Amino acid sequence: MPSDSPARPTPEREHAPFSEAAAEDLLHGICFKTGPPALIGAELEWLVLDAERPWLPLPPERLSAAHESARSLPLNSRITVEPGGQLEFSSAPAASLRACVGGLQADLAAVRGVLDAQGLVLRGLGRDPRHPPRRLLASPRYDAMETYFDRTGPAGRAMMRASASVQVCVDAGTEEPGPFGYGRRWRMSHLLGAVFVAAFANSPAREGPYAGWKCARQGIWSDIDARRALAPSLELEPRRAWTRAALDAEVMCVRSDAEEVWAVPRGLTFRDWLRRGAGPVGRGAGLGDLEYHLTTLFPPVRPRGHLEMRMIDAQPGDDGWLVPTAVVHALFDDAEAAETAYRVAKGLSDRYGDAPAPRNALWRTAAESGLADPELRAAAGACFRAAREALPRLGAGSRVRDVVGEFEERFVRRGRCPADDAAEHDLRRQPAGKGQRP
């Protein structure tokens, strides 16, 4: 699926005069590409660890060599590297769950093979427990991000260097109302997002500001910025809400081909930049700047034509990532399961409150307690039952169905989440190997 670091537009598009009205029109047109749900994708982030001593940081040169080995393979997915050295697999949009899963499984097997030869493993954890997190990549983008985030505290560095997720992408939906209507799917994604946080929490913290939380990664995301990681208002029409949120978010950085250090303005929203022209930063905003600005926004659900679910922790085991990928697909793209999921979402709406996700009572409870919270446990139980029943209708293979069923039995029915398995987060123990339950 699309990367956060897009190719640069042509110079003509990059610097073309751009008005506030044109920006609003563009955002209205690209944020929700509507039509019957047809495609699914996933982006999997992994920590790269030493197989024998996973608790030790890897030397940068060894980590970089591993990345180059992975990227040299002929893969279906796009391989990118996160600032802390996390390895991300971004699938191509697939016409079925079976195709999406099959492509990622083949790529993971190939990369694990070359990493195994170097004494390395991929580990699915939502938060790297090693301290202090280091930044491997140096680039104008990441230098500017760090400067920007440092103004509001340590959460930005922790997000860049030490977090990992499973991001599931589904189509935005149809213009018409009903189980596949984009307005319903947009609202449902934010309410069910808390259920996903709770069920898949896999970043427990024993100390620091999130001590005792099951999903410390979600705490980190909620603290990185006053607006950048917040959901738009659900009371507005989705296109209008996202357009307003995107333009009213601060500009993280102003790119330059001539400078190695990009400007990081203070308190300048993209709307301000459009209205004030070259005054604030020496040049006006162009189309390329808007396109880049959108890649620096990190709400829990990001509309990029499709819906990108960003709230799920990386999962343990070789096949743990299959569970959220399959469950999200089933709940959004099977009509019967979508109706069940919508009823669950409506039942949670009273706990949503006025604050946007993830800074509201429901999401905070999900991050702190996981499925120990009775309402979230009940919601997750209903969603997993609906997803399990839908997967055969969606053509899911037996391995996917088995892994989802195992997760449901091991965690959901018992009010537990992966964060409750302390051994999975002790890097002095060997990571789960192939054939083990995720």
Side-chain angles (χ1 to χ4, degrees):
M1 301 300 283
S3 166
D4 278 347
S5 300
R8 294 289 291 270
T10 63
E12 292 77 12
R13 296 179 71 234
E14 178 85 15
H15 302 297
F18 208 54
S19 67
E20 183 178 352
E24 291 180 341
D25 287 344
L26 177 69
L27 288 171
H28 271 270
I30 67 173
C31 57
F32 295 92
K33 300 289 188 182
T34 54
L39 300 175
I40 181 175
E43 301 176 22
L44 314 178
E45 295 174 342
W46 302 85
L47 306 184
V48 181
L49 306 177
D50 185 279
E52 299 297 327
R53 297 181 295 175
W55 59 90
L56 295 180
L58 289 175
E61 59 274 11
R62 189 179 178 200
L63 197 50
S64 296
H67 297 151
E68 289 307 311
S69 296
R71 290 192 288 200
S72 69
L73 296 170
L75 302 176
N76 302 292
S77 309
R78 179 180 179 184
I79 296 288
T80 53
V81 178
E82 296 298 303
Q86 310 97 310
L87 201 58
E88 180 179 70
F89 294 69
S90 298
S91 77
S96 68
L97 178 64
R98 189 183 293 268
C100 176
V101 164
L104 283 167
Q105 284 179 317
D107 291 345
L108 284 165
V111 171
R112 287 190 174 112
V114 299
L115 294 184
D116 181 69
Q118 300 176 40
L120 301 171
V121 293
L122 297 176
R123 190 76 174 265
L125 293 173
R127 173 175 170 266
D128 190 340
R130 296 173 297 179
H131 297 289
R134 301 178 302 167
R135 179 157 65 97
L136 176 71
L137 301 183
S139 70
R141 172 183 171 88
Y142 292 129
D143 292 347
M145 286 181 69
E146 197 158 273
T147 298
Y148 177 89
F149 285 132
D150 282 351
R151 293 171 179 170
T152 54
R157 289 193 178 210
M159 176 273 289
M160 294 171 63
R161 303 179 182 193
S163 67
S165 68
V166 172
Q167 298 174 21
V168 186
C169 301
V170 296
D171 282 332
T174 64
E175 290 286 343
E176 297 77 19
F180 296 143
Y182 83 95
R184 176 188 282 197
R185 285 161 74 90
W186 175 246
R187 185 172 185 84
M188 189 172 77
S189 66
H190 288 87
L191 294 174
L192 285 187
V195 179
F196 299 149
V197 169
F200 299 115
N202 190 37
S203 53
R206 296 184 178 88
E207 58 187 21
Y210 316 109
W213 289 35
K214 303 293 180 68
C215 185
R217 174 180 163 273
Q218 197 57 235
I220 291 168
W221 278 100
S222 67
D223 287 343
I224 64 170
D225 183 281
R227 292 185 179 178
R228 183 160 257 99
L230 299 187
S233 170
L234 296 185
E235 303 308 312
L236 298 176
E237 191 278 329
R239 289 188 177 96
R240 181 183 174 196
W242 177 244
T243 296
R244 176 184 292 183
L247 294 184
D248 289 340
E250 288 189 17
V251 174
M252 177 178 284
C253 57
V254 178
R255 296 166 302 149
S256 172
D257 292 325
E259 302 291 338
E260 294 184 2
V261 178
W262 292 352
V264 184
R266 288 182 180 271
L268 178 71
T269 70
F270 202 88
R271 193 184 301 278
D272 291 336
W273 192 7
L274 290 169
R275 289 177 175 178
R276 294 159 60 186
V281 295
R283 67 173 177 82
L287 173 59
D289 295 305
L290 177 60
E291 292 176 345
Y292 194 85
H293 174 68
L294 297 177
T295 74
T296 70
L297 305 180
F298 309 115
V301 182
R302 186 162 62 178
R304 307 187 72 182
H306 56 274
L307 301 182
E308 184 182 76
M309 312 284 183
R310 303 177 57 86
M311 74 291 292
I312 299 169
D313 279 353
Q315 295 296 288
D318 284 359
D319 290 337
W321 61 273
L322 292 172
V323 182
T325 304
V327 168
V328 171
H329 172 50
L331 295 179
F332 280 82
D333 294 344
D334 177 84
E336 291 184 35
E339 288 288 5
T340 298
Y342 184 63
R343 289 195 298 271
V344 170
K346 286 184 66 177
L348 292 172
S349 61
D350 288 344
R351 293 190 61 186
Y352 190 87
D354 294 331
R359 294 181 188 165
N360 61 63
L362 181 62
W363 281 64
R364 185 180 177 98
T365 297
E368 290 183 344
S369 304
L371 293 186
D373 177 81
E375 290 186 77
L376 286 165
R377 177 181 180 179
C383 286
F384 267 77
R385 286 192 297 273
R388 177 166 39 83
E389 293 170 0
L391 287 173
R393 296 193 293 267
L394 293 169
S398 59
R399 179 57 183 158
V400 171
R401 299 197 305 271
D402 288 347
V403 171
V404 170
E406 290 170 3
F407 187 99
E408 182 183 12
E409 174 63 30
R410 182 179 180 182
F411 295 116
V412 179
R413 292 180 181 175
R414 303 178 186 183
R416 301 175 68 249
C417 59
D420 292 315
D421 280 356
E424 287 287 354
H425 305 90
D426 182 358
L427 293 186
R428 291 185 177 272
R429 299 173 66 98
Q430 290 298 314
K434 293 181 179 178
Q436 291 181 262
R437 296 172 69 184

